[in-house]
Amino acid sequence: MRIAVDVDGVLAARVPALLELAADRHGTEIGVEEVTDWTVTVPDTGRSLREFFAETDEDPEHLLALSTVPGAVEGMKRLAADHTVYIATYRKAVAREPTERWLRAHDIPFDGYVREVGDGKREVPAELLVDDSSRTAATFADHRGRALLFRRPWNAGSTPENVTPVDGWKDVLDRVSAIDDSG
Ligand SMILES: [Mg+2]
């Protein structure tokens, strides 16, 4: 099976690092659990959390310093042993080189990095997507196959009917095994 894997929120713990950066630079006091809405304004900046997030795509130091999501390294090794694994992220093009460097630095295997993922990652040549955006997961599942959705505060509202929520990498591996077994 071809499996597409998102980076932020699935492999890289981006939001905690982002909030730390916002706290250091702007004195923001937002906890990860409070990130249910990306349109909230980062105090003193006039920019939304979403805009702040996108800006840091252009900061390789920030990207390279990110920690891995628990279980991600081992999980990707297990997936890559039996499947073709593609990295599919909305990060800006400028972030590709540091992202690949970060993946290698953490010994995270992948077979390819998709440059143009398209709206809802529908252009990604895979049958399964692992992501933490409910909208993306639902769109991909609609167009290409199945999607597993990492439960995060920003998708806690409701799970689309066509996606399967997961609580971590162990859960991802169990779900993939179940799909394998079902043929
Ligand atoms: Mg993500």
Side-chain angles (χ1 to χ4, degrees), residues 73-105:
V73 177
E74 188 52 34
M76 285 291 276
K77 286 179 178 163
R78 297 263 306 272
L79 286 189
D82 296 325
H83 303 278
T84 302
V85 179
Y86 294 126
I87 299 298
T89 174
Y90 288 131
R91 283 184 181 183
K92 294 178 185 175
V94 69
R96 188 169 75 91
E97 194 275 333
T99 302
E100 291 200 16
R101 205 159 12 124
W102 180 86
L103 291 164
R104 294 200 175 93

Side-chain angles (χ1 to χ4, degrees), residues 6-12 53 88-90 121 130-133 154:
D6 179 33
V7 176
D8 295 314
V10 173
L11 296 176
F53 194 127
T89 174
Y90 288 131
K121 300 191 180 173
V130 186
D131 212 290
D132 67 332
S133 155
W154 43 94

